[in-house]
Structure formats: structure tokens, C-alpha cells
Amino acid sequence: VSRVGGLPCPKRFGFEGNCWSSEKPEAWITRHTKHDHAGRKKVVERVVKHVERTLGLENGWAIVGTSSVFLYVARDKIVGVLVAEPIESGHRTVPGTGTTIDSGTGTGTHVLRKSDKTERATLGVRAVWVHAGWRRVGVAGRLLETARHSLTAGYVTSLAECAFTQPTELGTAFAVKTCGAADGTFLLY
């Protein structure tokens, strides 16, 4: 299956110094921080603005002081983005919360409740986005895997130490699938 779509970026954007690359160098993940040079920062800021708009986030919300932006580049298009930051704790979701369907209207509401108990978490996912043409092929999973291995130097974050903030319904499904406990709960922060 040929995948199409993505956000435009300069040819071979971030290939040098990438965090991960496919066996054939046609896809790679590159990491960006506030210390990048101006040219790269402009591209990353444009992409993050698109992600914020798409996910319904406030402009400027996704990137905070210590966050890193991981970009999945394929065929010289950005097809996936994960914004992560180092954190110290999170709260487990309460089992049975999530999307509820109103039987009268058939519309759904996505509300997650969190427990009061604090748990260890070392990687916070502020936002994750994958272009519609690249979904269901492991892009988000590869982005999370790369962030787990490279966010904190010398430490690989376990899946159980990953927490999410403001996940959409698709984000919740991803969090449960990749980082969820046996009861379907995962960490929020």
C-alpha cells in the first residue's frame, strides 16, 4: 500500500543526526528542542501550529520550556509529530471512564477521570498527531518508542512511565493500547 500525504518540509529535513531511521533511508525521526537553529525552529513551529489547530489546542500550548518535538519524516513530508517533556509523576485514569454515548442524541462525550493517587512517570506526551494517510501503520508507536529512548540521556522510559495530557478519543485508544494496564487504565498528567 502506497502512503500519501503529509506536511511539506525541506528535502532530507533532519536526516543528519536523526534519532531513528528505517532500513531504507526513506523514513526517519528527528528530535527538536528550543536550542535548534532558527531555520529548523521555523519549520517545527509551523508544524506544531498545524497540530495544535488539528487537535483543538490553544495556539502555543504544545511546546513548553523543556519539551522536545519528534517529527516522523517520510518521503520528505512530515507525517507524524509527538511532543514530549520530562515529568516526575502522573495519575492513573479511573477504570470505566472515557467516551459516553447519550442514548437520546447518539452523540458522545470524551471525559477521563483521574485517581488522586500519584504514580511515577518520566515522560509526558503533550500531543501526538499522525497524518490521516499514514495512520494504522505504526507511526505513533515508533514516535513514542523513539521518545522513550532519547528524551532522557542514559535512561529508557518504560511504557508504564509514560503519561498523556488531554488525549483525544484516538489518543486515548493509543495510550491504552501502548501504555495501558490490564484494566485499560493509563497515566494522565
Side-chain angles (χ1 to χ4, degrees), residues 6-156:
L7 303 174
C9 66
K11 192 162 185 63
R12 310 279 296 164
F13 182 75
F15 183 74
E16 317 76 33
N18 65 58
C19 301
W20 171 86
S21 61
S22 61
E23 287 182 25
K24 297 178 186 172
E26 58 190 29
W28 58 89
I29 294 175
T30 181
R31 177 183 179 185
H32 302 275
T33 67
K34 65 181 179 183
H35 303 293
D36 279 352
H37 65 76
R40 283 187 188 222
K41 260 188 186 170
K42 275 179 100 171
V43 172
V44 172
E45 287 169 357
R46 178 180 50 81
V47 169
V48 170
K49 276 185 184 181
H50 172 81
V51 170
E52 289 171 335
R53 249 189 338 268
T54 303
L55 297 178
L57 301 171
E58 185 178 314
N59 188 25
W61 183 87
I63 298 179
V64 294
T66 58
S67 58
S68 291
V69 179
F70 294 87
L71 303 177
Y72 192 111
V73 181
R75 299 186 194 126
D76 293 321
K77 299 269 188 189
I78 296 169
V79 300
V81 179
L82 186 136
V83 181
E85 65 180 323
I87 60 173
E88 295 179 5
S89 64
H91 298 271
R92 189 151 300 280
T93 55
V94 175
T97 63
T99 303
T100 55
I101 305 295
D102 182 320
S103 59
T105 63
T107 58
T109 308
H110 186 69
V111 177
L112 292 169
R113 289 191 353 235
K114 64 180 183 172
S115 71
D116 293 330
K117 183 183 173 201
T118 300
E119 295 184 32
R120 175 181 165 85
T122 58
L123 186 150
V125 177
R126 292 187 64 80
V128 62
W129 169 86
V130 176
H131 186 277
W134 287 82
R135 292 188 183 143
R136 315 279 312 152
V137 294
V139 171
R142 174 54 64 190
L143 282 162
L144 181 62
E145 186 72 11
T146 302
R148 288 179 47 232
H149 283 81
S150 60
L151 185 69
T152 304
Y155 182 74
V156 177

